[in-house]
């Protein structure tokens, strides 16, 4: 392959016809909406920022988002460089396999599926709880959270099978709604000069503010909020001019998400004042509803109607994230089937070129992950959402690290791109930054999942176990 060739890798394996997803279906904005949906902006702000402020570094939490964005941007440089030569719905699996070998790549595919499916299951827990509360508030009818989760699984399956363009349009509506209200709040607060202590840039972004408290915890939650941006590569086969569209969508998504989270969280800190924000976040957490920390200043800015609208937007935010992770996971299943690692049936496409069979399996996985918590009567937020969010983030960080290493190895072996910054320096710096984040996640994992040490240990061990299982399965299938 020369430097101008893009490896689309559509083959299913020798002797089997290739199955390809719909070409030229998505542009930069379409991919961007899938990425933003996976990151669920309102969920990230309302769920992560109060914890990052209360347990992390207080008023310095917004700076953690800027630092996390810088780390992810370094990772993206190598990620994009690889993406110019490898276009495949398997993304991590293909990228890691190209540099570190098929066995390691297959193990990483199992980890990617594990990450996407557990994070989606976590979202089902919070989503079911949120919708159940909304229905009870407005109608007085109490319907268990898991009923709403199961109903939504059916809806997601139908939308996923209906084609990628329809999914992008649905997500665009939800994402724009939640994105707009948070951004308008932040802009109005900024234009008004901030809260009771002004904008106070130094109170949030100075070295002293950044390093106070537990900055590692804040950085951990900041990185977790950005999980999902790598979906730009997953949709490469369905993108228009993927060697141009995917890099643009990747850089745009990282820049937009970093700026959005840093700016909105800064304005939230400003609305309380740097000297009082930690106590306010702590009070919201101790009260059992961290969203109050975010919803209260927005309501103060725009009026009480916000308290009725934001919970609904939180539900739609979670729905958008659930649909985005469904599409990511079923494309992994499709890609692995095409490579001969999973049953051939999973590479079946419908008339809309959507991997509907893989989608059914992904939905079945969601049922298997969610229903044990329902049958055991567990709290969907304190267990399902917290546990699976934590283990999903850890799994994804491992994938980022392996991808960075693979980029370096790939371009050392095959001189398709000789730019040192893109193929060596940035990926190496990104790998170091991600390794530091992994260490922080492991050190604070019990805090991240809100559970006990025993539960944390089992969840942590699940990630390398899945990696080894995937790698072992590949060796058996390929006979080496």
């Amino acid at each position: 392959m020369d430097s101008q060739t893009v490896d689309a890798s559509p083959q299913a394996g020798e002797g089997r016809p290739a199955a390809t997803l719909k070409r030229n279906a998505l542009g930069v904005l379409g991919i961007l909406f899938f990425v933003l949906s996976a990151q669920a902006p309102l969920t990230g702000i309302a769920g992560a920022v109060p914890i990052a402020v209360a347990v992390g570094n207080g008023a310095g939490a917004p700076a953690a988002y800027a630092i996390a964005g810088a780390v992810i941007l370094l990772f993206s440089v190598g990620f994009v460089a690889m993406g110019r030569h490898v276009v495949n719905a398997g993304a991590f699996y293909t990228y890691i396999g190209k540099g570190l070998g098929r066995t390691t790549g297959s193990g990483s595919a199992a980890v990617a599926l594990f990450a996407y499916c557990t994070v989606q299951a976590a979202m089902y827990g919070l989503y079911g709880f949120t919708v159940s509360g909304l229905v009870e508030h407005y109608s007085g009818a109490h319907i268990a959270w898991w009923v709403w989760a199961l109903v939504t699984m059916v809806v997601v399956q139908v939308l996923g099978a209906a084609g990628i363009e329809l999914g992008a349009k649905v997500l665009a509506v939800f994402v724009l709604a939640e994105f707009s209200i948070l951004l308008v709040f932040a802009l109005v607060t900024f234009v008004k000069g901030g809260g009771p202590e002004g904008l106070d840039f130094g109170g949030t972004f100075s070295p002293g503010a950044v390093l106070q408290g537990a900055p590692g915890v804040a950085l951990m939650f900041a990185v977790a909020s950005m999980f999902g941006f790598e979906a730009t590569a997953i949709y490469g086969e369905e993108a228009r001019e993927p060697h141009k569209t995917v890099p643009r969508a990747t850089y745009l998504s990282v820049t937009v998400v970093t700026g959005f989270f840093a700016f909105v969280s800064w304005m939230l800190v400003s609305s309380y004042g740097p000297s009082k924000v930690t106590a306010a976040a702590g009070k919201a957490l101790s009260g059992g509803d961290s969203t109050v920390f975010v919803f209260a200043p927005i309501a103060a800015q725009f009026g009480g109607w916000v308290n009725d609208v934001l919970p609904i937007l939180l539900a739609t935010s979670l729905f958008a994230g659930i649909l985005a992770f469904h599409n990511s996971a079923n494309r992994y299943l499709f890609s692995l089937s095409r490579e001969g690692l999973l049953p051939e049936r999973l590479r079946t496409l419908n008339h809309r070129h959507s991997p509907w069979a893989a989608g059914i399996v992904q939905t079945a996985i969601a049922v298997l992950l969610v229903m044990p918590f329902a049958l055991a009567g567990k709290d969907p937020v304190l267990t399902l959402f917290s546990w699976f969010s934590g283990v999903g983030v850890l799994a994804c960080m491992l994938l980022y690290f392996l991808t960075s290493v693979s980029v370096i190895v790939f371009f050392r072996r095959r001189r398709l791109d000789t730019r040192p910054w893109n193929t060596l320096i940035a990926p190496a710096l990104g790998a170091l930054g991600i390794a530091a984040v992994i260490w922080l996640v492991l050190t604070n994992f019990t805090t991240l999942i809100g559970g006990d040490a025993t539960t944390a240990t089992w969840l942590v061990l699940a990630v390398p176990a899945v990696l080894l299982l995937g790698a072992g399965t590949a060796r058996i299938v390929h006979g080496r």
Side-chain angles (χ1 to χ4, degrees):
M1 181 191 304
D2 60 34
S3 60
Q4 302 301 314
T5 302
V6 176
D7 179 9
S9 301
Q11 295 79 14
E14 188 174 352
R16 286 178 302 200
T20 57
L21 298 167
K22 187 173 183 179
R23 305 290 189 183
N24 302 315
L26 295 173
V28 172
L29 290 180
I31 296 176
L32 179 63
F33 281 124
F34 274 106
V35 171
L36 293 178
S37 300
Q39 290 162 335
L42 182 56
T43 303
I45 290 291
V49 172
I51 303 174
V53 172
V55 184
N57 58 346
Y65 286 96
I67 295 170
V71 172
I72 297 301
L73 192 60
L74 286 170
F75 166 82
S76 299
V77 173
F79 187 71
V80 165
M82 178 75 90
R84 293 184 185 278
H85 303 280
V86 181
V87 179
N88 188 287
F92 283 132
Y93 157 67
T94 313
Y95 287 17
I96 294 172
K98 290 290 183 181
L100 303 182
R102 173 178 274 183
T103 299
T104 305
S106 299
S108 69
V111 174
L113 273 173
F114 180 71
Y116 289 135
C117 290
T118 52
V119 170
Q120 188 204 44
M123 286 184 157
Y124 271 122
L126 183 55
Y127 171 85
F129 173 82
T130 302
V131 173
S132 178
L134 285 170
V135 171
E136 186 168 7
H137 174 73
Y138 287 107
S139 71
H142 176 72
I143 301 175
W145 67 270
W146 56 267
V147 174
W148 296 111
L150 289 176
V151 170
T152 303
M153 288 177 194
V154 176
V155 176
V156 167
Q157 173 62 33
V158 171
L159 285 174
I164 198 71
E165 299 102 321
L166 178 61
K169 292 174 182 177
V170 171
L171 294 179
V173 174
F174 292 152
V175 170
L176 284 173
E178 59 181 299
F179 202 83
S180 297
I181 194 167
L182 289 171
L183 188 59
V184 170
F185 158 76
L187 288 171
V188 170
T189 303
F190 181 81
V191 170
K192 288 184 174 180
E197 298 173 30
L199 294 174
D200 196 3
F201 184 87
T204 293
F205 293 99
S206 68
V210 174
L211 297 175
Q212 67 180 329
V217 174
L219 180 61
M220 177 180 66
F221 279 101
V223 172
S225 298
M226 297 185 181
F227 177 41
F229 83 93
E230 73 289 337
T232 53
I234 294 175
Y235 299 107
E237 287 187 42
E238 296 158 281
R240 293 187 289 272
E241 297 184 280
H243 58 290
K244 294 181 180 179
T245 302
V246 172
R248 291 171 183 170
T250 302
Y251 286 132
L252 181 61
S253 65
V254 173
T255 302
V256 168
V257 169
T258 300
F260 175 80
F261 275 101
F263 181 54
V264 173
S265 60
W266 177 28
M267 290 302 99
L268 282 170
V269 168
S270 178
S271 67
Y272 287 98
S275 66
K276 299 177 181 178
V277 70
T278 303
K283 182 179 179 181
L285 289 179
S286 63
D289 185 5
S290 63
T291 63
V292 171
F293 174 79
V294 175
F295 292 177
I298 299 178
Q301 191 75 263
F302 300 132
W305 62 269
V306 168
N307 289 319
D308 293 321
V309 172
L310 284 177
I312 295 173
L313 287 180
L314 178 59
T316 59
S317 172
L318 287 161
F319 177 83
I322 287 167
L323 178 58
F325 280 113
H326 171 82
N327 284 318
S328 294
N330 69 24
R331 277 154 180 76
Y332 260 95
L333 291 166
F334 165 82
S335 180
L336 291 174
S337 171
R338 194 170 58 184
E339 297 293 333
L341 291 171
L342 289 176
E344 184 176 331
R345 179 69 172 171
L346 295 183
R347 63 188 179 96
T348 303
L349 301 174
N350 62 17
H351 69 285
R352 294 182 180 272
H353 288 262
S354 176
W356 68 273
I360 291 174
V361 172
Q362 198 287 313
T363 300
I365 292 172
V367 173
L368 292 174
L369 289 175
V370 170
M371 288 311 295
F373 289 85
L375 294 173
K378 296 292 186 180
D379 186 292
V381 178
L382 299 180
T383 56
L384 177 56
F385 177 74
S386 298
W387 295 1
F388 280 177
S389 293
V391 75
V393 167
L394 180 60
C396 200
M397 289 301 104
L398 175 61
L399 292 172
Y400 291 174
F401 179 78
L402 290 175
T403 300
S404 292
V405 174
S406 181
V407 168
I408 295 171
V409 174
F410 176 77
F411 286 111
R412 300 286 74 73
R413 290 176 177 171
R414 305 175 69 179
R415 310 296 289 180
L416 299 174
D417 189 334
T418 58
R419 296 172 295 173
W421 170 255
N422 297 72
T423 63
L424 178 61
I425 299 173
L429 292 174
L432 290 173
I434 292 164
V437 173
I438 291 174
W439 179 81
L440 289 172
V441 170
L442 291 173
T443 303
N444 299 282
F445 197 73
T446 303
T447 300
L448 179 62
I449 67 166
D452 54 45
T454 301
T455 301
T457 300
W458 281 110
L459 289 173
V460 167
L461 291 176
V463 177
V466 169
L467 178 68
L468 293 174
L469 178 62
T473 300
R475 293 183 68 87
I476 293 172
V477 170
H478 296 295
R480 54 184 176 85

